[in-house]
Amino acid sequence: MISRICFVLFLAPCVLGNGDPIDPETLHNVFGYPQYNTAASNVATTTLSQVLPVQPVNSTLTDPDYWDVDELPSAAVADYDKFDWVLTKRVASNSNVNFLISPLGLKLALAILAEAATGLTRSELSSVLGFEVDRHAVRRKFSTIVESLQKKSPQYILNLGSRIYVEDSAQPRQRFAAIAQQFYQTELTSINFHNPQAAAASINAWVSNTTQGKINNLVDPDDISNMVVMILNTIYFKGTWRHQFDPNSTKEGVFYTTPNQRKPVQFMRVKDKFYYAESTKFDAKILRMSYIGNKYAMYVIVPNSLTGLNMVMEGLSTLRPEMDSLHERLVDVTMPKYKFDYSSELDAVLRELGVRQAFEDTASFPGIARGQTLAQRLRVSRVLQRSGIDVNELGSVAYTATEIALANKFGEDNESSVEVIANKPFFFFIQDEATRQLLFTGRVSDPSIVDGAFKH
C-alpha cells in the first residue's frame, strides 16, 4: 500500500487576543488527557496496544509474531485521539468519495504552532486538540510520540521529518526554537522567501527526499512569495503484511460502489490468523492486519450491508470500545487493490471545530514573530493536506507531508473460519500500536478512482 499526505497552513499578521482560562475538566472531556505522572511516563518504554482482548485467552498460545511474551499490550492509560476521530468524521461527512488524511500529521503541525501562540489563539488550539493545561505534560507526550515514530527497524520503514523554514529577516525566539528541537525533533532553517523560485525548489527537494519521492511538488513559487515561516513535517511509512496476499489468487470481482452501481476491480485474497471482531453496534466486521514487526497495523471496518458505512462513520468516536472484542481466529479475507490521491483544504474544518482566532488578524504567535506590532503578527490563512495510498498484495507504503506556512497578510488448519469480504465501501486506518496514534485514516468508496479532493 502507498499513501501520502501533505498539510499546508498559512499565517499572516494579527493582534494579541486574551481568552478566559480553559477549565481543565473541559479539556479532559475534549481530548481525554490524564494528569501526567511517573507511572504514565513509564509507558514510553513499553509496548501499548489499544485493547486488552488482543491477548489470547490461553497465555501459553501467545503468538510472538504479534506481541513479545513479556510485552503483552495492556489498555492504554490515555485516550488522546479524540481530535483524530472528530477530524476524520468531519472530512468524511462532506461526501461519499474516497478520502485519506493524516490526523497525526495535522496534529503535530498544530502542536508546534500552539507552542508559538499565546492568549485566546493558544487556548482555542489547546481546547480543540485536547491538550492539558500543563504545557510540560503536552510536550512530554508529543516527545514520546515522536520518539516512537523515529524507532528504526529492518522490518519496516517509518521516516518522520520535521522542519521550520524561517525567512532570513525574521527572528523567532530562541525559546521556541529550543522547544521545537527538544520535544518535536524539529529544526529551524533560514530561507530567503523573497526568492520564491529558489525557496520552493529547496523545500520541495526536502519533502521529496523525506517521502521517498512520493511528494515532489508540495509548493510552487506563488504559494510562498509572501511567507515568513513554514512549518513542515513528513511521514513516510513502508510496511509488509505479516500475512501477505498471494498474487496468484488476485482476480477480478464486483465492488458495489452503491446498492445499484457496481464496478469490476481486482480483489486480493488471503486466509490466515488475524485479530477479528463482529460489531453488533455498527453491524460491521473489524479486522486487524498487522505489518511485519507488529509495531504498525491497518484496521479495516467493513459494514455488513451495502449502505452500512454511514453508520460506522457517524459513530467513529465510539469505535475504540468496539475493538475490545478483537480476538484471534482464522479469517478468509477478500479485499480490493486500491490506489488513489487525495487533497483536502482543512481551514474551514478547523474553524468549525473551534480553531477560529488563529485565522483572524487578532491572532497571536509571538514565539515566531517577535514583537506585537501589526507588521510583526501572523494569522493562519490556509490549511492543506495532500495524500495518496496504494494497497497491494505485499503490503503498504504511506507517506505524508504536513506544512504550516506563515505569511504576512499581504501575501490453514481445521479450525472454522470467518469471512471478511470488502466488496462495498469500507473504512480503514493505520495505527502506531505503541502510542495508538492514527498515522492515516481513510475510506474506500470506489477502488477504481485514482484522484479526489475535499474543499469546504
Side-chain angles (χ1 to χ4, degrees):
M1 173 180 75
I2 298 176
S3 98
R4 58 186 179 283
I5 299 185
C6 144
F7 162 66
V8 184
L9 183 65
F10 297 91
L11 300 178
C14 48
V15 181
L16 177 64
N18 294 314
D20 297 330
I22 298 178
D23 182 357
E25 182 176 351
T26 301
L27 287 179
H28 177 80
N29 291 335
V30 173
F31 207 62
Y33 272 73
Q35 293 298 315
Y36 198 91
N37 52 42
T38 302
S41 67
N42 291 335
V43 175
T45 60
T46 60
T47 300
L48 296 179
S49 172
Q50 63 285 0
V51 290
L52 278 168
V54 296
Q55 304 178 27
V57 175
N58 182 346
S59 61
T60 63
L61 298 179
T62 298
D63 185 342
D65 282 337
Y66 272 93
W67 309 104
D68 292 336
V69 175
D70 295 330
E71 297 184 29
L72 288 174
S74 58
V77 298
D79 178 15
Y80 51 91
D81 58 0
K82 291 185 178 179
F83 168 78
D84 307 36
W85 296 116
V86 171
L87 175 70
T88 300
K89 179 179 177 180
R90 180 63 192 83
V91 172
S93 67
N94 185 67
S95 69
N96 292 319
V97 301
N98 298 344
F99 79 84
L100 180 73
I101 61 173
S102 175
L104 178 59
L106 176 57
K107 191 161 58 180
L108 282 172
L110 292 177
I112 296 174
L113 185 65
E115 290 285 1
T118 59
L120 184 58
T121 306
R122 177 176 175 81
S123 296
E124 288 184 348
L125 284 165
S126 296
S127 177
V128 170
L129 293 171
F131 290 169
E132 291 175 308
V133 175
D134 182 358
R135 290 190 178 191
H136 298 290
V138 175
R139 291 166 185 165
R140 286 192 291 264
K141 193 172 295 291
F142 274 95
S143 179
T144 298
I145 292 170
V146 172
E147 180 182 351
S148 176
L149 295 176
Q150 289 184 332
K151 289 181 179 178
K152 302 300 182 183
S153 170
Q155 298 175 314
Y156 59 82
I157 298 175
L158 193 293
N159 293 335
L160 176 66
S162 191
R163 178 174 288 188
I164 301 177
Y165 287 96
V166 183
E167 166 59 40
D168 290 337
S169 61
Q171 295 190 11
R173 296 182 181 275
Q174 292 184 356
R175 173 66 174 160
F176 170 70
I179 290 172
Q181 178 63 53
Q182 179 179 355
F183 298 102
Y184 301 92
Q185 297 297 303
T186 299
E187 61 176 322
L188 269 67
T189 302
S190 295
I191 195 169
N192 182 10
F193 283 120
H194 294 297
N195 184 349
Q197 291 282 353
S202 177
I203 292 168
N204 287 333
W206 182 79
V207 172
S208 178
N209 181 62
T210 57
T211 60
Q212 304 287 301
K214 300 300 182 181
I215 299 178
N216 295 308
N217 296 297
L218 178 63
V219 297
D220 59 44
D222 291 339
D223 290 332
I224 63 175
S225 59
N226 289 319
M227 280 186 188
V228 176
V229 178
M230 176 182 289
I231 302 175
L232 286 170
N233 74 54
T234 62
I235 302 174
Y236 174 86
F237 169 70
K238 182 176 183 179
T240 301
W241 299 125
R242 179 176 181 267
H243 301 304
Q244 297 179 22
F245 296 84
D246 180 3
N248 293 325
S249 298
T250 299
K251 58 183 64 176
E252 187 175 283
V254 172
F255 188 94
Y256 291 86
T257 57
T258 71
N260 300 317
Q261 295 181 335
R262 57 185 187 177
K263 290 186 177 181
V265 302
Q266 293 294 306
F267 280 93
M268 309 176 293
R269 185 176 179 184
V270 64
K271 187 175 183 180
D272 216 311
K273 291 289 188 66
F274 294 94
Y275 281 98
Y276 163 89
E278 180 75 35
S279 170
T280 302
K281 178 177 180 179
F282 289 104
D283 188 26
K285 295 175 172 63
I286 303 175
L287 180 69
R288 175 184 181 270
M289 302 175 64
S290 65
Y291 300 100
I292 292 176
N294 307 301
K295 178 171 171 54
Y296 301 98
M298 175 186 281
Y299 291 78
V300 181
I301 295 84
V302 182
N304 290 324
S305 69
L306 295 178
T307 59
L309 187 58
N310 287 339
M311 183 168 62
V312 173
M313 303 309 296
E314 280 296 316
L316 280 183
S317 59
T318 61
L319 180 61
R320 287 288 190 199
E322 291 299 296
M323 295 165 63
D324 288 347
S325 57
L326 282 169
H327 59 282
E328 190 179 41
R329 66 174 303 172
L330 187 63
V331 184
D332 192 344
V333 180
T334 300
M335 177 183 295
K337 296 176 67 172
Y338 55 95
K339 177 180 181 179
F340 64 87
D341 293 322
Y342 189 77
S343 297
S344 52
E345 294 185 9
L346 300 172
D347 15 317
V349 171
L350 289 175
R351 286 177 182 269
E352 291 173 1
L353 295 181
V355 179
R356 301 185 179 92
Q357 190 67 22
F359 293 93
E360 304 299 329
D361 287 341
T362 51
S364 179
F365 297 102
I368 298 176
R370 302 189 70 166
Q372 293 298 320
T373 67
L374 284 176
Q376 294 171 314
R377 301 199 178 190
L378 306 169
R379 64 175 174 82
V380 176
S381 61
R382 189 185 182 196
V383 181
L384 170 68
Q385 274 200 353
R386 297 174 187 164
S387 61
I389 191 165
D390 186 344
V391 175
N392 57 41
E393 292 89 349
L394 299 181
S396 307
V397 178
Y399 37 97
T400 175
T402 299
E403 171 194 333
I404 301 184
L406 296 90
N408 65 42
K409 61 184 176 183
F410 306 104
E412 318 302 297
D413 54 79
N414 294 325
E415 178 183 349
S416 62
S417 65
V418 294
E419 282 189 328
V420 174
I421 303 176
N423 64 348
K424 61 186 77 67
F426 60 90
F427 174 68
F428 69 90
F429 60 92
I430 299 175
Q431 174 175 273
D432 173 7
E433 299 288 66
T435 62
R436 300 205 325 170
Q437 290 300 292
L438 304 180
L439 275 67
F440 302 93
T441 60
R443 172 180 59 206
V444 177
S445 298
D446 186 343
S448 66
I449 298 296
V450 298
D451 193 21
F454 165 69
K455 295 182 179 180
H456 182 69

